[in-house]
Amino acid sequence: MIQSNQLLFFFSALGAFNGFLLSLYFAINAKNKKFTNYFLSLLLLVLSIRIVKSVFFYFNPHLSNIFIQIGLSACVLIGPFLFLYLKSVMENEKPNWKIHVIPYLTAITIIGFFYPYVEHHEVWSRWIVNAIYFQWFIYIALSLKYLWPVILKLKKKESLQKLDFWFLSIYLGVAFIWLAYNFALYTSYIIGALSFTFILYLIVLLLIFRKSSDSTFFHEKKKYQNKEIDKKMLDEIGQKLSILIEKEAFLNSNFTLEEAANELKITKHLLSQYVNEILGKSFSNLIKEYRIEKAKQLLETEKNYTIESLGYDCGFNSKSSFFTAFKKITGLTPAEYQKSSLK
């Protein structure tokens, strides 16, 4: 192996190894951000497994076919974990991870059992790998929704917060690696260099943000400690929030804490503190309650609505999230509530 190849191998393998360490770091520190860090940890883990396979396969073509199969199979979870991480962070609630992980994990396990890579190279290269990369792309596209607030900031030339940079880096890093796998002529060379750069960049970002004295990066402070809102501000926030609710801004499915704070011309932290301390609930639960109240009104007065379309019109992103929230808040399904209201 010539010297340049040795250097390439070293830095490529180092990038993947650092990815494993970073994955372990976030898994250990998951308690600081509840479930969100678990998704980030698993994203980095499956990404590192795939990168290790590419790097070592290039330098050792006789690599065990089982290892190759594991490396390729790991790709089926990269997209879902990227989506789950961004969704859990932006919506500040635990998503239903099972529907995004278990079906794919089951499917790739069954396919691997009946069509092992060692006996079906052509099937894997022609169909299975292409299907995995297509699924990965779909989740990259779906994840873009949760970066939209950051994109709007860039369009408006607003300053980005530390976490905005972090989320953008995660998303773009995964997207560029997908592009390299799909369009690069010398995949192993590019992925090795790109993965090393990506992981190193994340580590540098993490170190910078963690050392920042005013940063709450990946840590939850004791909520609102020593920061009481004066009565005048309480009244002002209450009045502005009432106006916002009357305008039914919550019917927008993308209505977030940040958007509400911008409308009220206060900080996100101040609005979150008000909702938590004065109203006694989280912002996401508050919005859900208003959406369910709107849904109840429509169920009582409108007969031409389908229950599914009603959920979307009330601001929910899916039928399942609408049904779950409605049942949790009212104790009834939408259909049951509609029947009871007509009696």
Side-chain angles (χ1 to χ4, degrees):
M1 188 183 291
I2 62 175
Q3 187 176 5
S4 61
N5 276 2
Q6 288 177 331
L7 287 173
L8 176 63
F9 175 80
F10 173 76
F11 285 111
S12 302
L14 185 60
F17 177 70
N18 285 340
F20 284 117
L21 291 181
L22 206 54
S23 171
L24 181 62
Y25 169 82
F26 285 114
I28 293 172
N29 284 274
K31 61 183 180 181
N32 293 324
K33 200 64 177 169
K34 299 179 182 177
F35 41 83
T36 57
N37 276 11
Y38 284 124
F39 294 136
L40 179 57
S41 173
L42 290 168
L43 168 63
L44 292 169
L45 175 64
V46 293
L47 197 57
S48 298
I49 290 172
R50 180 60 180 92
I51 293 167
V52 161
K53 175 263 163 191
S54 288
V55 173
F56 279 87
F57 177 70
Y58 182 83
F59 291 99
N60 181 11
H62 304 294
L63 189 69
S64 168
N65 286 305
I66 294 295
F67 189 38
I68 295 173
Q69 182 173 320
I70 292 172
L72 292 172
S73 299
C75 287
V76 82
L77 295 177
I78 295 174
F81 283 134
L82 172 67
F83 174 80
L84 289 168
Y85 173 62
L86 292 175
K87 179 179 174 67
S88 64
V89 170
M90 297 303 181
E91 295 187 347
N92 197 29
E93 59 183 43
K94 188 174 183 179
N96 187 357
W97 63 270
K98 293 179 183 177
I99 64 173
H100 295 283
V101 174
I102 293 178
Y104 298 122
L105 195 56
T106 303
I108 199 65
T109 301
I110 294 172
I111 290 171
F113 180 79
F114 287 103
Y115 295 92
Y117 182 87
V118 65
E119 299 172 10
H120 301 275
H121 291 223
E122 191 172 343
V123 174
W124 274 80
S125 59
R126 254 188 165 182
W127 303 103
I128 299 174
V129 172
N130 286 334
I132 290 173
Y133 285 160
F134 178 72
Q135 176 252 21
W136 184 354
F137 171 76
I138 293 297
Y139 272 99
I140 287 175
L142 291 174
S143 301
L144 189 60
K145 167 188 172 182
Y146 298 105
L147 275 183
W148 197 245
V150 180
I151 294 171
L152 288 178
K153 282 185 180 181
L154 290 172
K155 284 184 177 180
K156 296 176 182 177
K157 297 182 179 179
E158 297 179 7
S159 59
L160 298 183
Q161 297 177 353
K162 294 181 178 70
L163 283 176
D164 293 332
F165 277 112
W166 178 262
F167 300 141
L168 196 60
S169 300
I170 294 288
Y171 181 85
L172 291 178
V174 173
F176 283 143
I177 289 174
W178 178 88
L179 284 170
Y181 272 125
N182 280 270
F183 299 107
L185 184 60
Y186 299 103
T187 299
S188 294
Y189 279 106
I190 290 180
I191 291 300
L194 183 59
S195 64
F196 173 76
T197 304
F198 175 48
I199 298 299
L200 185 62
Y201 174 72
L202 291 184
I203 292 173
V204 170
L205 269 187
L206 181 63
L207 290 174
I208 291 172
F209 292 163
R210 287 293 299 271
K211 287 181 179 180
S212 177
S213 60
D214 62 343
S215 175
T216 58
F217 194 65
F218 292 120
H219 289 275
E220 292 179 308
K221 297 188 295 184
K222 291 183 179 178
K223 280 200 170 182
Y224 322 122
Q225 187 177 19
N226 300 324
K227 289 188 177 180
E228 294 184 1
I229 309 175
D230 62 66
K231 190 176 185 307
K232 183 180 178 181
M233 179 61 74
L234 284 176
D235 294 339
E236 187 177 333
I237 295 175
Q239 291 171 6
K240 288 183 176 180
L241 187 58
S242 297
I243 294 171
L244 198 61
I245 297 304
E246 285 175 12
K247 290 166 58 178
E248 297 187 332
F250 55 84
L251 296 183
N252 180 355
S253 60
N254 295 318
F255 188 65
T256 61
L257 175 66
E258 183 173 8
E259 188 174 336
N262 288 337
E263 288 282 338
L264 300 177
K265 293 182 172 53
I266 58 176
T267 65
K268 287 193 303 181
H269 183 83
L270 191 57
L271 178 56
S272 178
Q273 181 177 358
Y274 176 87
V275 173
N276 276 268
E277 292 186 349
I278 306 303
L279 303 183
K281 58 193 72 176
S282 68
F283 180 79
S284 61
N285 285 337
L286 176 69
I287 296 306
K288 280 181 186 176
E289 289 178 7
Y290 281 118
R291 287 172 176 168
I292 295 302
E293 283 301 315
K294 181 65 177 181
K296 285 163 63 177
Q297 291 174 20
L298 294 175
L299 286 169
E300 292 169 3
T301 57
E302 301 291 337
K303 295 182 180 179
N304 296 326
Y305 259 108
T306 65
I307 291 177
E308 185 173 355
S309 64
L310 183 144
Y312 287 116
D313 288 346
C314 290
F316 289 93
N317 287 315
S318 67
K319 179 180 177 181
S320 62
S321 62
F322 171 53
F323 273 51
T324 301
F326 198 98
K327 177 79 172 178
K328 183 177 180 180
I329 291 172
T330 67
L332 300 170
T333 65
E336 290 170 343
Y337 182 88
Q338 189 175 48
K339 285 181 182 178
S340 66
S341 66
L342 294 174
K343 290 180 180 178

